[in-house]
Amino acid sequence: MIDLAAGESAIRLSLSWVDWLILIVYFAMIVWIGYSIHKQQKSSEDFLLAGRSMPAWIAGLAFCAANLGATEILGMAANGAQIGTPTIHYYLIGAVPGMVFLGIFMMPFYYGSGVRSVPEFMYQRFGKGAHVIVSLCFAVSTILQAGINLYAMALILQAMLGWSQWTAIIVSAVFVLAYITLGGLTSAIYNEVMQFFVIVAALIPVTVIGLSHVGGWSGLTAKLDSMKGWSGSIHAWAGTGIGNVTNPVGGDWFSILMGLGFVLGFGYWTTNFTEVQRAFAAKSMTAARMTPILGAIPKMLIWLIIIIPGMIAAATVGNLFSGAHPVLQYNEAIPYLFKMYLPNGVLGVAITGMMASFMAGMAANVSSFNTVFTYDLWQDYVKPGQNDKYYLNMGRIITVIGVFISVFTAWIASQFGNIMTYLQTLFSFFNAPLFAVFILGLVWKRVSNVAGTVGYVCGIIAPLITYILYLQSVAAGNPIFGSATAETWYGAIISCLATWIVAAVLTPFTKSKTDKELEGLTFGTNGIKYFKEASAEELEDAKRAAKEAGKDVATVKVPWYKKPLILGTVIFVLGLVFYIPFF
């Protein structure tokens, strides 16, 4: 992945009063949204889970926008500038399949069981020990990720506006704190929907203008092919043979499919509560299932306005990224295009879009952190049995504490030379083993509490050892993986295997739960009932709509585009079709 750590930047943007006005109006709007929602927060569920009242399309856009943080926009554009189209693996294999899988297979268990968080499902399936460990690990990893978003944001604001890193960190943290503390998850979701459109409005102009300047897609690829110093590729799967890795990512096809696509991709999108929380906020089982599936539609397309601008930067000012003393860092690809192509006014929208992406990522982290800390740690183990207003107030207090800690974890992120690899490493440590134990627990009812918990812990230790061995091999000049990115992919595979092997070995020697205790928690203990309930709900929704339209409800059928299984399959296939031009 790309080095996002930058020193003094060559970029300084000259903002007019119109640009500053757009920024000020935007900041005022996000605080106003939080304030206007504040009076509606009557319970802890209203604050922490948006009252489970969100329609699918709003939750779906928020689901996608929650992932469009600073590391996504800057990091993936930077990868486009340096490694080219292989970056689409993170979208078409690393995201879309996992999002579809969540909607089709995982949400029925989550929503149907009535849990309020992913760790709470872990409690029902594997007991208190697993619940405590998963909750603590999630809280730690989420706050570390919030710090990454803050730090990445500080880098770019320093580059574009000349602010100091700590000024940028504190100012942005204060605004995120304001609307999350006032309006909770509802505020975060509505702001994320607005932020999604602002981000798109910022990136489309620079993509269109940039492509026009380089002669369209054919002109861009021709220019990149002719560049001797460019280390990237316009062919996503070139050089990925096992034992013959020549692609700029440093990974072979197996690590891409299994490490990124299966373990990290499915693990992130199905067990990372930062994302899944948006589906938990949906108003019904059907809406919850459709949330990640609808979110996969923009996710399948948005790489076009993130990766392509990076490639345009490589084609137009690639010489500024290279040499012994580069003028630009790769993470400055999009900001530099802003400077090159956008006039005042449009520039204000672009800067606002970047600010929106920064805050969307951090707000998603903080809103999931306060839910897990309040429900899964404080309510269950520190102060159980309090009235609901107590937990509502505690949720707000924890939000303030979470933002405050994030300011300091931003400093931790600043100590890493490559914060994108740092982020992927966190995923291999925490998301990979959680996904492994979740899947095992769903398909094998025999897995015991002890086996699942110990397997999860070993799944954290295994990639940590792998990471240490990789660092030692790099220091010795003989790296065991093609790149730090490839290490995270193989680390995730090793984590998954370690979890499964340890759990499988321990299960015969430990006591499992009875079928009654596991009712509805596995496929083998009537978990299929949730899928039947979901199908019945889809039909009832279709009948209700037909009745309102004055149609005969006796012959009504659910349209294919309202069936998660069919729509999800269509989106999955379309995602694979997007690969065809880049083979």
Side-chain angles (χ1 to χ4, degrees), residues 30 67 212 273 339 409 477 487 534 547 549:
I30 63 175
N67 185 245
S212 175
F273 189 54
K339 181 178 180 180
T409 58
E487 185 281 324
K547 186 176 181 180

Side-chain angles (χ1 to χ4, degrees), residues 105 109 441-443 521-528 531:
F105 295 107
F109 284 98
L442 287 177
V443 301
L521 296 176
T522 74
F523 284 104
T525 56
N526 203 27
I528 199 70
F531 295 85

Side-chain angles (χ1 to χ4, degrees), residues 2 65 124 136 164 182 189 192 194 308 322 329 341 346 369 392 423 463 480 493 496 510 530 575:
I2 304 308
Q124 291 193 6
L136 288 172
S164 71
L182 287 170
I189 287 176
E192 284 161 359
M194 181 178 70
I308 290 179
S322 59
Q329 299 291 325
Y341 297 136
V346 179
F369 168 79
L392 171 60
L423 183 64
I480 56 177
I493 295 172
C496 185
T510 53
Y530 298 132

